[in-house]
Amino acid sequence: MNIDSHVHFWKYNKKQYDWIDNTMKTLQQDYLPEHLSLTLKRNDIDGVVAVQAIQSEYDTNFLVELSKTHDVIKGVVAWIDLQADNVEERLQHFSQYPIIKGYRHVVQGEPLDFLARENFRRGVRALKAYNYTYDILIFHYQLQPALDFVRAFPDQPFVVDHCAKPDIRHKNIDEWKKHMQEMARFPNVCCKLSGLFTEANWKEWSPADFYPYLDVVFEAFGADRLLFGSDWPVMLLSGIYVQWKSLLEKYMENFQPEDREKVFGANAIQFYNL
């Protein structure tokens, strides 16, 4: 079964989706499962993991409701305020929806010390009792605090979204590479092969731009801990679905068939317990 481990759905309104600025006009509209279904079919994708796009329980409820009418959604990565005093109560409330597999906070928009804050860590600690995963969304320059963070939770399943957003645009790789190699030493951490199109020059990249970065994560994490993801519809700022999937397929053409199966589905099924 082929799984896209990272897609977003929304009914667009300017106020709630304020992160979508005027450089991203193409995203200023609704993106729902029916807009993606044909693309998934053409690309031989059987299911998706829907990931939160705004930091509100409204979004969590919206994704849960969508999953009830769209079979293609196999899991949801939701949002609650992990820093809240009542985090336990909120987790308890949402545990009634088995479609929720894990949680995410948009740490890429937070100060560098955010992952060290005790109230946030308390929230992350509470995930374990429910077997929830946690998606780490950061930029490459936040990797050092992320390493300290991961070190504190040896039993928590983590996945690094978008390979920690390396600076592909400026071909900066050394510092990111060192930190990603370190990150891969934690056996409880996986990594998503997603979101890289928008870290390159939008619509002006060539496949060769991504290969050095793919080399790093494939060598560090191996085929057992990498998950294919599209980051649709955000990826549309820089390319189309089939371009990213075929780029990865081409990269992996000399891999064993079972390794390709892992990256394009089996790892996501296992990690998110789909």
Side-chain angles (χ1 to χ4, degrees):
M1 189 183 243
N2 291 332
I3 301 289
D4 182 337
S5 70
H6 203 102
V7 304
H8 302 289
F9 298 118
W10 59 69
K11 280 190 170 160
Y12 178 71
N13 78 62
K14 200 170 177 175
K15 194 166 172 231
Q16 277 182 307
Y17 294 86
D18 57 356
W19 61 270
I20 302 176
D21 62 31
N22 284 338
T23 66
M24 310 180 189
K25 281 200 183 299
T26 191
L27 302 183
Q28 295 174 344
Q29 57 181 301
D30 296 354
Y31 283 98
L32 296 164
E34 51 267 36
H35 302 134
L36 182 59
S37 59
L38 192 59
T39 297
L40 295 176
K41 230 178 234 104
R42 283 185 184 139
N43 286 279
D44 199 25
I45 299 290
D46 306 297
V48 302
V49 176
V51 180
Q52 61 85 219
I54 50 170
Q55 312 214 79
S56 98
E57 286 190 8
Y58 160 86
D59 198 25
T60 298
N61 288 313
F62 170 68
L63 294 177
V64 167
E65 285 308 308
L66 266 190
S67 74
K68 291 176 182 172
T69 49
H70 296 86
D71 269 0
V72 76
I73 300 174
K74 306 296 183 193
V76 165
V77 175
W79 186 89
I80 52 167
D81 185 358
L82 289 166
Q83 303 172 84
D85 291 338
N86 68 340
V87 65
E88 195 62 63
E89 180 200 306
R90 300 320 293 148
L91 285 170
Q92 183 63 51
H93 167 75
F94 283 111
S95 69
Q96 67 183 295
Y97 306 114
I99 194 74
I100 297 179
K101 305 302 181 183
Y103 286 89
R104 181 175 90 151
H105 185 87
V106 184
V107 176
Q108 68 174 35
E110 300 286 1
L112 269 179
D113 71 338
F114 182 82
L115 290 168
R117 293 179 186 176
E118 188 39 52
N119 57 349
F120 181 69
R121 290 192 172 195
R122 190 190 68 231
V124 172
R125 224 170 278 130
L127 299 177
K128 188 78 188 81
Y130 299 91
N131 289 321
Y132 283 134
T133 60
Y134 181 79
D135 271 56
I136 302 173
L137 175 63
I138 51 170
F139 285 114
H140 57 94
Y141 54 78
Q142 295 168 304
L143 271 163
Q144 188 55 63
L147 285 163
D148 300 334
F149 170 69
V150 163
R151 197 171 286 116
F153 298 95
D155 299 327
Q156 172 61 42
F158 289 116
V159 62
V160 178
D161 287 352
H162 314 326
C163 301
K165 296 197 163 187
D167 185 8
I168 300 171
R169 202 168 282 119
H170 302 105
K171 297 188 166 33
N172 290 330
I173 195 167
D174 297 346
E175 180 99 344
W176 170 83
K177 175 179 179 174
K178 181 171 73 95
H179 288 323
M180 287 301 273
Q181 287 169 334
E182 221 176 307
M183 187 63 87
R185 293 196 189 110
F186 297 100
N188 55 319
V189 181
C190 294
C191 176
K192 283 188 188 175
L193 301 168
S194 59
L196 296 187
F197 267 6
T198 40
E199 299 313 308
N201 282 317
W202 291 1
K203 298 189 171 158
E204 290 175 15
W205 47 266
S206 79
D209 294 341
F210 303 101
Y211 273 47
Y213 298 89
L214 293 174
D215 287 345
V216 170
V217 290
F218 270 91
E219 200 178 305
F221 288 90
D224 289 340
R225 287 190 290 147
L226 292 172
L227 286 63
F228 162 72
S230 65
D231 197 27
W232 183 93
V234 182
M235 70 168 324
L236 300 174
L237 296 167
S238 188
I240 59 172
Y241 200 102
V242 67
Q243 287 176 308
W244 180 239
K245 182 159 186 271
S246 54
L247 188 152
L248 281 179
E249 284 170 336
K250 178 93 181 108
Y251 181 87
M252 292 191 76
E253 67 185 350
N254 296 320
F255 282 65
Q256 295 297 327
E258 58 267 31
D259 284 342
R260 293 200 294 270
E261 276 166 29
K262 285 175 189 169
V263 169
F264 283 101
N267 292 344
I269 291 167
Q270 189 182 3
F271 179 78
Y272 283 121
N273 191 23
L274 303 183

